Amino acid sequence: MMSTRPLVGQQRWLPWRLTALLLATLLFSACGYKGPVRPKLEAIPAAVTDLQLQQRGNGLLLSWRIPTSNADGSPLTNLQGFKVFRMFFDPSSDCPECRDTSSLLATIPLDFPAPAQRYSDRMFLSDRDILANQGYFYRIEPVNTDRQTGMAATVRIVLSQVPAAPTELTGEGMDRQVRLQWQAVTGAAGYAVYRTRPGQPFPPWPLPRGIVAEPRFDDFAVENGSDYLYAVRTLAGGETPEAQSELSATLQIRPTPLR
């Protein structure tokens, strides 16, 4: 006859197994696991942002915003500077990045950025003696004080012919005002007016309200008795609306009160 006595050992083992499975299920769901674990990002500089490339006569103006964080989101406190690489490419190529032949164009320390210029949180670098109808590709890499290279950012452009610079720039210093005029350039989409002080370079951007359609400009943001230096660029139209000519000849003017 088959025994009907309870299996004491099995009775003790079954509740323990169920309890262990329940605890494992709860722990597994509590950790929020939904897929493969992603590798942790390194504490290397994040890529530069707002990277821009604009044609300025026979040169290019490269600019970018200085990163403030690392790739892992932590604050970037040990940024040393940047490495800028340049590569030429055939404008007919669909993928100039597929064959990297770039070379180092400039190393830019953050504290002493020459040959670049720093304005607030942006860096500006000019690349001169370029060729029309040629493709240019740039790569910016931030570097920290541990000599670790950060994430790269890239930009490219195909150059075009730019219009001639304005000529016959003249002006008049008035009471807290400077009035400028120049010879119109055929085919110009407009003009950009730049201002600085004697002995200082022109900034990379034109004056506020300094983009004008006609060959004239009134500057009211001046002080009597101070000397100002002006120059103008012609704006291209068509497929390269952001391209500008070389700077015109400069003109120094001092506003004076009416007598």
Side-chain angles (χ1 to χ4, degrees):
M1 179 180 294
M2 183 179 295
S3 175
T4 58
R5 289 185 301 173
L7 301 177
V8 177
Q10 185 175 349
Q11 284 179 324
R12 293 177 179 175
W13 179 79
L14 285 174
W16 177 87
R17 183 183 181 188
L18 291 174
T19 302
L21 288 174
L22 179 60
L23 287 174
T25 302
L26 290 174
L27 290 173
F28 190 72
S29 60
C31 73
Y33 181 83
K34 296 182 180 180
V37 178
R38 296 180 179 179
K40 184 178 179 181
L41 293 174
E42 297 182 76
I44 59 174
V48 304
T49 58
D50 195 19
L51 178 57
Q52 299 181 18
L53 184 59
Q54 300 171 326
Q55 189 170 353
R56 294 289 184 269
N58 294 323
L60 288 170
L61 180 63
L62 188 66
S63 67
W64 62 91
R65 194 177 303 278
I66 299 171
T68 57
S69 62
N70 288 307
D72 63 358
S74 62
L76 175 56
T77 59
N78 62 341
L79 181 64
Q80 185 179 53
F82 306 91
K83 289 184 178 180
V84 181
F85 296 84
R86 180 183 65 184
M87 181 178 72
F88 309 104
F89 69 90
D90 184 348
S92 63
S93 173
D94 294 330
C95 182
E97 302 93 334
C98 294
R99 182 173 176 268
D100 189 354
T101 60
S102 60
S103 59
L104 183 64
L105 175 66
T107 299
I108 303 172
L110 188 64
D111 296 334
F112 302 97
Q117 294 176 289
R118 178 177 180 177
Y119 292 88
S120 184
D121 63 346
R122 290 193 67 83
M123 303 294 296
F124 295 84
L125 176 65
S126 294
D127 189 6
R128 304 295 301 176
D129 298 326
I130 58 178
L131 301 175
N133 303 317
Q134 170 72 57
Y136 288 80
F137 177 88
Y138 295 86
R139 184 175 77 253
I140 315 296
E141 296 179 352
V143 181
N144 63 22
T145 54
D146 295 327
R147 297 184 180 180
Q148 292 176 305
T149 299
M151 303 180 69
T154 63
V155 66
R156 60 178 173 171
I157 191 174
V158 176
L159 302 186
S160 61
Q161 296 288 345
V162 294
T167 59
E168 301 180 28
L169 176 62
T170 60
E172 179 182 4
M174 306 166 68
D175 186 13
R176 290 176 293 181
Q177 177 185 351
V178 169
R179 175 162 292 173
L180 301 173
Q181 60 184 9
W182 54 90
Q183 182 68 37
V185 177
T186 303
Y191 306 91
V193 181
Y194 293 78
R195 184 189 69 196
T196 187
R197 293 295 185 95
Q200 298 181 5
F202 283 99
W205 56 83
L207 285 170
R209 296 179 48 253
I211 302 295
V212 294
E214 301 297 326
R216 61 186 66 91
F217 177 74
D218 287 330
D219 187 6
F220 297 98
V222 293
E223 298 179 355
N224 288 339
S226 297
D227 290 327
Y228 297 92
L229 203 62
Y230 292 89
V232 184
R233 295 184 190 269
T234 306
L235 301 182
E239 298 180 356
T240 56
E242 294 187 354
Q244 300 182 16
S245 72
E246 294 286 351
L247 281 171
S248 68
T250 59
L251 179 66
Q252 184 170 326
I253 300 180
R254 176 182 296 178
T256 56
L258 297 175
R259 296 181 180 178

